Amino acid sequence: MAGNAGSVPADEPVAMSAPNLPKVAGIDPPASAPAQTAAPLDDLTPPPGLLLQDRLAGRVSDLTTLHELIERLAGTGSLDGALNEILRAGAALVGARRGLVVCEPADGLGPVTTLGLGLAHAELGHLETVPRCATSYGRLLDCSDGRAEPVAVPDLLGDTELDPRQREVAARLGYGASYAVPLATAGTPDLDTPDLDTPDVNPPDPKRLGAVVWFYDEPAEPVERQRHLVGLYARYASEHLALLLELERARARTATLTEELLPGRLPRIPGVRLAARHRTGPHGGGDWYDALALPEGAVGLAVGSVSGSGPGAVAAMGRLRASLRAYAVLEGEDPVAVLSDLELLLRLTEPARTATALFAYAEPARGSVVLAGAGHAPPLIVGAGRTEFVETSLSAPLGMLACWEAPSVEVSPEPGETVLLYTDGLLRRTGEPMDRAFARLHAAAASVPEADRDDPGAVADHVLRAVLPGEREEAGPSAVTGRAGSADDVVVLAVRFD
């Protein structure tokens, strides 16, 4: 985007920064002026009304562009997405090609994030080697009261007081000027103000969130019109960032709570090897898994999901999981009795919730697994000779009927086979109808490489990559991660029989 008169243009022009030339009949006639014309047309002064009209048209164009940029920012639902949009929009407004944004809330609670526009990872590393106090955005971040003003450095290499390291980095990266603005909210209004119509003599202190800087390839600085527009944009962007920041912190707290309520490690039981993967959605759900060593070398296996999301669902999940462990110790050899007790507890203590659950009583020495499910997806057996779903009876979720009961099913995995227990979130996250989601899961399990079949963790990871290819993964008993747009938790518990 090119700057207006008085600034050195950057790489490419943008329409909103170019002057709007008036189009008036007779300004450029096809025929030459007669000889007796008193003055050439170029010397004629446009009427005052025409100048005002042109100015108003330019102002409307600027506000329209600003409105479109703000709408795009409002459509972002993640902190990183909003920061990237701020970089792109601000670069268009000030006429720069590259930029850097630092999210660093003044309260010290994080998260701290640095993102670049038009800058490679190595170039960001070079910028971070410059002493913070020498950078324009660093001065904004270190401002104690949050009332910092934008910082323009129109000629970096021409500044005799420039830090030597900053000069070296600027020459290496090829930028000659910068313009930085703070990202800060208006703060919390003074609650002691007696009347909302009375102006507060002590306005609330701004709450610093971070700072953003744009780099020009040549010496330049934005003109007053551009400064005004980017200032308005930054004001709205800061409020939007503050909301996303609180949402991000809430997600992190919920994810931490979920991780603490799930098993810290899986038990070591002769004859079986266990691995679990857990991915949370953006709001935190109530999916869980468990594995419990029982008397006589048996093991109790459970997966389940509580309806709803957020801290309430996570807390309900913790209560149900703890209760299921107790029932498993008392009568784990009868999965139907375990789920019946859990259903009664749910109706008495969580009458507004429902839950799906699957409990299995496995005896590795006998190669036997007895299981029962309540509205839950069937397990999947994965082996060299077969990949098939376990045929379970159709049953309602817990809390849906006055009394729950369904027959149990016994299966006999062969040595070397892996039984996959999972929650419905794995299927729903595909975004496909259930029949196609089941088909995708079956194909993913059937395609596990031979070299990975001996490791239940590798089997679980392969299935997750194949079923949800767009999501990042983390290894471990309780890997908490997922896409921002995915609403469901995902649990996969892999049990390999030796």
Side-chain angles (χ1 to χ4, degrees):
M1 169 178 180
N4 288 351
S7 66
V8 177
D11 287 331
E12 38 182 296
V14 174
M16 68 160 289
S17 293
N20 297 311
L21 298 178
K23 299 180 180 180
V24 182
I27 285 294
D28 191 14
S32 59
Q36 67 271 19
T37 302
L41 291 177
D42 292 341
D43 294 338
L44 293 180
T45 302
L50 187 60
L51 292 175
L52 178 60
Q53 181 180 359
D54 182 50
R55 185 177 302 175
L56 289 176
R59 182 66 60 86
V60 170
S61 176
D62 288 348
L63 294 178
T64 300
T65 301
L66 186 63
H67 175 71
E68 292 174 354
L69 294 176
I70 288 177
E71 278 195 329
R72 287 175 53 181
L73 178 62
T76 58
S78 67
L79 192 60
D80 284 356
L83 292 174
N84 279 311
E85 181 59 33
I86 290 171
L87 277 173
R88 288 191 293 266
L93 290 173
V94 302
R97 186 171 63 89
R98 292 176 288 180
L100 173 72
V101 62
V102 179
C103 176
E104 187 179 299
D107 57 14
L109 299 179
V112 176
T113 305
T114 301
L115 297 175
L117 172 68
L119 296 169
H121 184 73
E123 293 174 324
L124 286 175
H126 286 310
L127 287 170
E128 290 176 350
T129 63
V130 179
R132 177 162 162 152
C133 60
T135 64
S136 55
Y137 63 90
R139 296 197 295 269
L140 295 178
L141 291 172
D142 293 336
C143 181
S144 59
D145 62 1
R147 300 182 186 275
E149 296 294 329
V151 177
V153 184
D155 188 358
L156 275 166
L157 299 181
D159 187 353
T160 58
E161 299 181 358
L162 191 68
D163 183 272
R165 180 56 186 165
Q166 188 175 14
R167 184 186 303 276
E168 177 185 347
V169 171
R172 174 176 295 185
L173 302 186
Y175 64 89
S178 66
Y179 184 70
V181 299
L183 296 173
T185 63
T188 305
D190 187 357
L191 298 181
D192 294 331
T193 302
D195 189 352
L196 293 177
D197 295 330
T198 303
D200 191 357
V201 293
N202 296 315
D205 292 331
K207 305 299 181 183
R208 190 204 72 199
L209 303 178
V212 58
V213 58
W214 294 279
F215 301 108
Y216 295 91
D217 294 342
E218 302 290 342
E221 65 177 311
V223 297
E224 182 60 32
R225 177 187 180 191
Q226 293 172 312
R227 292 174 185 247
H228 178 67
L229 288 175
V230 79
L232 293 176
Y233 182 81
R235 188 183 308 169
Y236 174 82
S238 298
E239 299 296 335
H240 185 65
L241 277 181
L243 295 176
L244 292 178
L245 189 64
E246 288 303 317
L247 180 60
E248 190 77 15
R249 289 175 175 177
R251 290 173 179 171
R253 288 191 294 266
T254 302
T256 301
L257 175 61
T258 302
E259 188 175 7
E260 291 298 323
L261 290 174
L262 293 174
R265 62 182 181 87
L266 297 172
R268 294 181 179 272
I269 301 171
V272 295
R273 283 186 285 166
L274 305 171
R277 300 293 183 263
H278 177 229
R279 297 183 179 181
T280 61
H283 307 298
D287 287 19
W288 86 88
Y289 66 91
D290 205 352
L292 179 65
L294 298 175
E296 300 180 0
V299 56
L301 307 168
V303 291
S305 177
V306 175
S307 62
S309 61
V314 174
M317 174 270 287
R319 291 190 290 269
L320 284 183
R321 174 179 168 265
S323 301
L324 187 142
R325 289 175 70 91
Y327 299 146
V329 170
L330 294 175
E331 47 194 3
E333 68 279 359
D334 186 357
V336 173
V338 172
L339 292 186
S340 295
D341 292 342
L342 192 65
E343 194 273 339
L344 178 60
L345 177 73
L346 183 68
R347 283 196 291 114
L348 294 177
T349 61
E350 308 279 349
R353 293 191 184 276
T354 60
T356 65
L358 186 146
F359 179 76
Y361 179 80
E363 296 178 282
R366 295 180 57 243
S368 172
V369 179
V370 181
L371 58 91
H376 208 81
L380 182 61
I381 298 179
V382 182
R386 60 172 174 169
T387 300
E388 61 185 26
F389 291 102
V390 176
E391 293 187 7
T392 58
S393 58
L394 187 64
S395 62
L398 303 176
M400 294 289 289
L401 302 177
C403 182
W404 177 90
E405 186 170 345
S408 60
V409 176
E410 182 174 359
V411 295
S412 300
E414 298 292 335
E417 291 186 329
T418 299
V419 178
L420 286 181
L421 311 180
Y422 54 93
T423 57
D424 293 344
L426 178 63
L427 305 172
R428 287 195 293 267
R429 262 193 178 181
T430 64
E432 297 180 344
M434 276 298 171
D435 56 343
R436 293 185 181 180
F438 275 114
R440 175 182 285 194
L441 174 58
H442 185 277
S447 65
V448 175
E450 187 68 28
D452 292 340
R453 292 184 183 272
D454 291 339
D455 182 359
V459 173
D461 290 336
H462 176 86
V463 169
L464 284 172
R465 284 194 302 266
V467 177
L468 306 174
E471 299 191 11
R472 71 186 190 274
E473 63 184 88
E474 295 179 11
S478 183
V480 183
T481 181
R483 295 181 302 185
S486 303
D488 297 295
D489 281 15
V490 173
V491 161
V492 176
L493 178 61
V495 186
R496 186 187 187 278
F497 289 80
D498 295 328

